[in-house]
Amino acid sequence: MKLQPKSRLVMIGDSITDTGRARPIGEGRGEALGKGYVSLVDSLLGTFYPSCDIRVTNVGTSGNTVRNLKERWQTDVVDLKPDWLSIMIGINDVWRQFDQPTYTEKHVYIAEYEQTLRELVAEVQPTLKGLVLMTPFYIEPNRDDPMRAAMDRYGRVVEQIASDTGAVFVDTQKAFDRVLEHFYPATLAWDRVHPGMTGHMVLARAFLDGIGFDWSN
């Protein structure tokens, strides 16, 4: 596994990462890590790699776009001094263009998305042992659906940044597409964005596969 023993893994993102995590910093007992993929990652790491003592921290915040990440980057990433950092952002950057089309001041178009994400990565990567970049996703199998098509374009930006920087790339859309061969989208998420526990397990598995998790360990 790429994640070294006694590492601190900070996971940042929007509501999909947040899932009701503790404030101001999501870590500790009970549901401090939230009720989603971050908690599953923590539980699976503890179960399969109990001697590694990985410290997982959740700093996802509902409603965030990459702009919001930039605003809180110092306190929620840099000041926490992570060894490994996982970023999954972009759903709201795309979604606001569709569910609030007249509120253009909330729209984060793809050029700003790419520039901001690149800047954030460049600022923190020299201090990290490892970086994971996860794509945004839309739980919709029809690639011609306008929001799915837009989400795919933002996902390709994440893939390019990961390629350019040597980060671990996690294609969450591909992970969902595999499951969507068998499930109707609303089975996984009523709004095609906020998944239930099966969807969060899809995300946890994709993340762990990305870091070389050994499921037979």
Side-chain angles (χ1 to χ4, degrees):
M1 185 174 68
K2 297 177 182 178
L3 197 61
Q4 299 88 352
K6 301 190 182 301
S7 291
R8 185 178 195 179
L9 167 63
V10 172
M11 308 184 83
I12 193 168
D14 49 37
S15 60
I16 312 304
T17 302
D18 185 333
T19 61
R21 55 99 173 173
R23 296 301 196 270
I25 302 299
E27 58 180 21
R29 294 192 180 96
E31 296 181 346
L33 287 172
K35 302 175 184 178
Y37 77 95
V38 177
S39 182
L40 290 170
V41 165
D42 177 67
S43 297
L44 288 163
L45 287 171
T47 300
F48 284 75
Y49 293 88
S51 65
C52 285
D53 293 329
I54 306 298
R55 178 180 179 180
V56 179
T57 303
N58 184 347
V59 287
T61 299
S62 294
N64 268 198
T65 65
V66 76
R67 282 182 194 163
N68 302 119
L69 260 58
K70 183 176 182 179
E71 293 168 356
R72 61 189 181 93
W73 199 248
Q74 182 66 42
T75 57
D76 288 6
V77 175
V78 177
D79 290 351
L80 297 182
K81 297 180 172 61
D83 300 297
W84 277 74
L85 175 67
S86 172
I87 307 171
M88 183 169 67
I89 198 70
I91 289 177
N92 292 309
D93 305 65
V94 175
W95 201 6
R96 294 295 84 85
Q97 299 172 45
F98 289 86
D99 73 338
Q100 298 181 11
T102 61
Y103 293 82
T104 55
E105 69 275 9
K106 297 183 179 181
H107 300 173
V108 180
Y109 298 112
I110 198 164
E112 179 186 354
Y113 175 79
E114 178 172 3
Q115 179 179 345
T116 305
L117 188 55
R118 284 188 181 276
E119 289 173 354
L120 296 178
V121 167
E123 179 181 350
V124 75
Q125 194 172 25
T127 69
L128 299 173
K129 293 179 180 177
L131 172 67
V132 180
L133 296 179
M134 305 174 69
T135 66
F137 61 84
Y138 190 48
I139 304 176
E140 166 56 58
N142 178 13
R143 289 171 167 81
D144 293 326
D145 176 274
M147 186 164 159
R148 167 64 197 265
M151 204 71 74
D152 286 346
R153 290 192 292 272
Y154 280 61
R156 287 192 289 272
V157 166
V158 176
E159 183 176 18
Q160 186 61 57
I161 295 173
S163 176
D164 293 344
T165 61
V168 173
F169 173 64
V170 176
D171 191 339
T172 67
Q173 187 66 66
K174 183 178 180 180
F176 274 114
D177 285 346
R178 183 182 66 83
V179 179
L180 285 170
E181 294 178 5
H182 308 280
F183 283 109
Y184 182 70
T187 305
L188 296 172
W190 65 270
D191 59 359
R192 293 181 286 180
V193 169
H194 295 92
M197 193 51 66
T198 298
H200 276 285
M201 189 63 208
V202 170
L203 293 170
R205 179 183 177 182
F207 172 86
L208 292 169
D209 284 346
I211 63 169
F213 188 92
D214 183 358
W215 295 91
S216 66
N217 190 35

